[in-house]
Amino acid sequence: MKRISILAALLTVTIGVQAQMSIFEVGSKEDRADRLYYQFSYAGAINLYQAVLDEQPGNPRVQLRIAESYRKLNQPAQSAEWYSKVIDNDTLISDEDVLNYAEMLSGAGEYREAKKWFEEFEKRSAGKDSRAEHYLNSLNNLEVYFKDSAIYDIGPVNFNSEGADFSPMFYEDGLVFVTGRETAEVRLVQNVFNWDKEPFLDLFYVGPDSSGLFSAPRPWSEKINTQYHEGPLAFFENEERVVFTRNNYYKGRFKISSDKINKLQLYSAKRGVGETWEHIQPLPFNSNEYSVGHPTFMSDGTTMIFVSDMPGSLGGTDLWQTEWNGDDWSTPLNLGPQINTEGNEMFPFMHKDGILYFASDGQGGLGGLDLYTSELEDGKWETPKNMGYPVNTHHDDFGLIMEPNGVQGWFSSNRDSLEGDNIYRIAITRDPYLRIDGIVIDDVTEEPLANAMVTMRGTDGNEMTVETDDQARFSFNLNWDVMYRFNAELRLYDQMNAPLRKAEDTPEAREPLVIRMKNRCWVYDWELNNKDTGEPVLGANVTMYKKGSADSIVLESDNGTYILPLECETNYDLRIEKPGFFTQVIELTPGNIPEPEFEEIVVGKAIEVENIYYDLDKADIRADAAIELDKLVKLLVDNPQIVIELGSHTDSRGSDSYNLSLSQRRAESAVEYIIDQGIDADRISAKGYGETKLNNECANGVPCSDEQHQANRRTEFAVTDIRTE
């Protein structure tokens, strides 16, 4: 199969140092096959391993090596077939082998069997590797990947070759792309890559022809193309500069890592005269010990995202970013776990609209490398979204670029396995979403309502909230064929639901959405102060209940002043609570908002019950006194934790013994009334004080006015205990 293993050959490892053929001719067939395997000559290793099996049928170690070799060559069907022969061999198979088998099955489109082995890997990894979770989520929701398939038109370009063709990039009026095509025009002797016996990769350019197709491809730059791999590239500074991927080969020197591998590096070049490129320089964070490659630039022209397996990577290969200051590059930063996984993220492309396209085999998907999108919001990357079928298949799909208009582009895939990696044209024939615009207005005045919070909820579980702008407008992108509910909220207005709407391709579905909100009838600024100090009370729990309804509103304030939004012709109860204070429930009616007397609970403190009057020499509860005692009953109901003493006091006129007896009878009469209203008898006691606790100097024999004596005739209560249960 004439194709390059993109995943392995272009990032995780690259070129093994080639040994003399005599080395491979020493030892047994299995030893020679192993040497080829460890030198990344997988195509040759497979041939020798199969020769070993002719002599040793069923050798599990050799079968596993063949499975691994086919995996390295990115031939999932063949790899899965060989894994299946040894996967039950517990003494040989590792957890990573189980994952590899599951991935090969998925890459071959064998989803049911793949699910079984992803579940086995998840069990073995005990949830420590997210790849199993991602893949199982994908396999359990495969229908999601096919729901938008009608919006894409995809087809191969006219310049694909029998070799590998992939990773196009915009340049001038055409494309620069990576190719492994065999051509005598490139060099007299074209090197062959031991990995899979394919030619090394070069950069070619293709421009438009008069028919609207592409002209014949030609080598892009003799200065940049070498006898080794050149890979994906990106232009910046109005195409006056370029960063490109190449093997660690600079100024004629071929360098290797400590484990004898030639890694990939990034190089920059500056445009010279015409189409020449000069001043080729390695980037400062290149290393002999790890690979870097696959550059792309954000719209600012200075932030470059690239791929590397450098220390600090979360998986096999990660996406990183660096800044160009005009002279040098900053220390790379990892894009983080929202983008990167334990698998491989690669082939990024930043669209001018801020959309990051990239390929991953660690996010789940349909198998192999899948294409994803993400956007940077408030400095954080959004959860990547799989682009779905037919952009993604169970083969490798990667290297996507999109025109500035966002509706046409090109990407790479090996979906036609007989042709290897090819470049495909992609056109979006229908918007991937139905955009709906709307406005929020006052139901009566039809004035636009800015700063309203509008929430969209779909039957697919998608939910989003946006704020209306200064003209009260909002918009959402809706998934096709999903039913949506819209809800608007705004201070001083009733929450409002708009009619359900289905996202379908009809004029009615595209109509602007108008949400009309009903203004609450009136609003009251209400202060909650301490009765004794007059200071605002902070941290109280204030809840407003609509009479005859279970609806409630929790009011909040950071300064003790509350906004009460009240509907017309509606009564409310306002419940005020705070530890250490008497709980109060106040009735609110339009036009009648009593000021609360929020009082601290102090054990033993006497609190007067006003307007309690008795007939002369009587202890009976009069109707006017009952009204006031009912208020005390309500206080006890609202504060079930308190125990009180009700005390009755007289003035000094009359004998001391008479006054003491009269006050006791009156206190007992009041307590009896309160108990009759449903208050437990163990929560209230009666105490007659007679004239023993006068409020002024009007004792026996002291001449005083009626008003002064009246001040001493009173009924009080005091909290004697606060129960905790």
Side-chain angles (χ1 to χ4, degrees), residues 632-633 636-637 639-645 670-686 723 725:
L632 183 55
V633 170
L636 289 166
V637 170
N639 296 269
Q641 79 280 17
I642 65 172
V643 178
I644 68 169
E645 175 195 272
V671 166
E672 183 179 352
Y673 175 86
I674 290 172
I675 292 172
D676 287 344
Q677 308 312 307
I679 301 301
D680 291 342
D682 63 352
R683 293 185 58 206
I684 185 169
S685 59
R723 296 174 177 174
E725 295 184 0

Side-chain angles (χ1 to χ4, degrees), residues 130 249 364 370 540:
S130 67
Y249 177 74
D370 270 17

Side-chain angles (χ1 to χ4, degrees), residues 486-501:
F486 300 89
N487 167 270
E489 296 182 64
L490 182 63
R491 181 174 176 268
L492 310 184
Y493 279 80
D494 282 333
Q495 183 173 300
M496 188 60 61
N497 293 321
L500 289 171
R501 180 174 293 196

